[in-house]
Amino acid sequence: MFLLKIITVLLPWSLKRLMLVRFFRYEIHPSARIGLSWIYPKKLVMDKNSKIGHFNVALHLDLIFIEKYSSIARGNWITGFPTNTNSKHFLHQEDRKSNLIIGQHSAITKNHHIDCTNEIKIGRFVTIAGYSSQLLTHSINLELNIQDSHPITIGDYCFVGTASTILGGASLPAYSVLGANSLLNKSFTNTYRLYGGNPAKEIKELSKEFKYFNREVGFVY
């Protein structure tokens, strides 16, 4: 199987898609596309015109689901810890899901690290912008001395600035901006806000008239 994966990665897209659908049982729309990347979750679903660029790695996940017109650009490292294994890790979390779900018209740009030990949900029209952000759903629970994990949620029409860190259990509400170099470590609820800092806090209200919050096409020219 490992050799089959290597061969598949190197094939032209038309043959690669055929192999991924036939042998790996992935659901890939004919208009979707994957570049020179190692993308092997247990299940992959790519809706129409969704894209994964070059030099991405995604492994040890239960599911990657990319809705229509959404993209993962280049050089991203996407990891997980799949369920139903013999490992002692995360046995206390029976409902844990190692999933990455990306809503329509959203984009993950370049060179980010996304840890999907627990589920990460990215809403519609979201931009994970810039470089070197980390979305980390798991860490050591010092009180119990065990590996622990919590989901991350990013609402619709959000913008995550470069080099930010989002920890498990955090939530960025819809129509919000997380400033560059911020640490989001808890769940916020107020929409149309700028959040930022280390740790992040609410900084100011944003106008509902911002064109970013009202666009009908995800790509920003």
Side-chain angles (χ1 to χ4, degrees):
M1 181 62 75
F2 183 75
L3 180 58
L4 181 61
K5 289 180 177 180
I6 293 175
I7 293 171
T8 300
V9 165
L10 298 174
L11 289 173
W13 172 240
S14 59
L15 294 177
K16 181 186 297 186
R17 179 181 176 275
L18 180 64
M19 296 286 284
L20 292 172
V21 170
R22 178 170 297 180
F23 292 101
F24 296 91
R25 305 299 181 188
Y26 290 164
E27 300 174 28
I28 303 175
H29 192 275
S31 64
R33 188 174 183 87
I34 301 175
L36 185 63
S37 290
W38 186 271
I39 309 295
Y40 289 111
K42 286 184 180 179
K43 182 176 182 179
L44 174 65
V45 180
M46 296 183 68
D47 207 341
K48 67 178 183 179
N49 292 303
S50 59
K51 296 178 181 178
I52 298 176
H54 296 312
F55 311 126
N56 296 286
V57 174
L59 71 172
H60 306 313
L61 286 88
D62 294 325
L63 168 68
I64 296 177
F65 183 12
I66 307 176
E67 294 189 19
K68 60 185 180 180
Y69 300 103
S70 288
S71 63
I72 298 173
R74 188 182 71 207
N76 296 285
W77 186 265
I78 304 169
T79 61
F81 196 95
T83 57
N84 300 317
T85 70
N86 295 323
S87 174
K88 294 181 180 180
H89 293 316
F90 310 109
L91 288 177
H92 63 294
Q93 296 185 308
E94 296 180 358
D95 296 329
R96 182 181 63 86
K97 299 175 182 178
S98 184
N99 298 342
L100 175 61
I101 299 173
I102 304 173
Q104 63 186 35
H105 286 275
S106 290
I108 297 172
T109 58
K110 302 174 184 176
N111 300 330
H112 302 298
H113 181 193
I114 301 174
D115 157 43
C116 299
T117 298
N118 212 312
E119 186 170 73
I120 294 179
K121 286 186 178 181
I122 297 173
R124 302 175 300 118
F125 296 89
V126 172
T127 308
I128 310 298
Y131 306 88
S132 302
S133 286
Q134 298 183 74
L135 281 67
L136 305 174
T137 63
H138 91 282
S139 63
I140 293 177
N141 184 319
L142 298 179
E143 180 182 1
L144 300 178
N145 193 36
I146 57 173
Q147 295 282 347
D148 206 2
S149 69
H150 300 280
I152 288 172
T153 302
I154 298 174
D156 297 341
Y157 289 88
C158 283
F159 181 94
V160 176
T162 189
S164 292
T165 300
I166 303 177
L167 301 183
S171 178
L172 186 65
Y175 303 98
S176 294
V177 173
L178 181 65
N181 289 290
S182 294
L183 168 63
L184 187 69
N185 63 352
K186 69 177 186 178
S187 181
F188 289 95
T189 58
N190 291 330
T191 58
Y192 296 100
R193 297 294 192 277
L194 169 63
Y195 297 94
N198 188 349
K201 61 182 180 180
E202 184 178 322
I203 296 175
K204 67 177 182 179
E205 187 173 0
L206 301 176
S207 172
K208 295 180 181 180
E209 303 304 315
F210 280 10
K211 291 184 178 180
Y212 182 89
F213 297 146
N214 293 281
R215 70 200 200 283
E216 296 181 358
V217 176
F219 187 80
V220 178
Y221 291 91

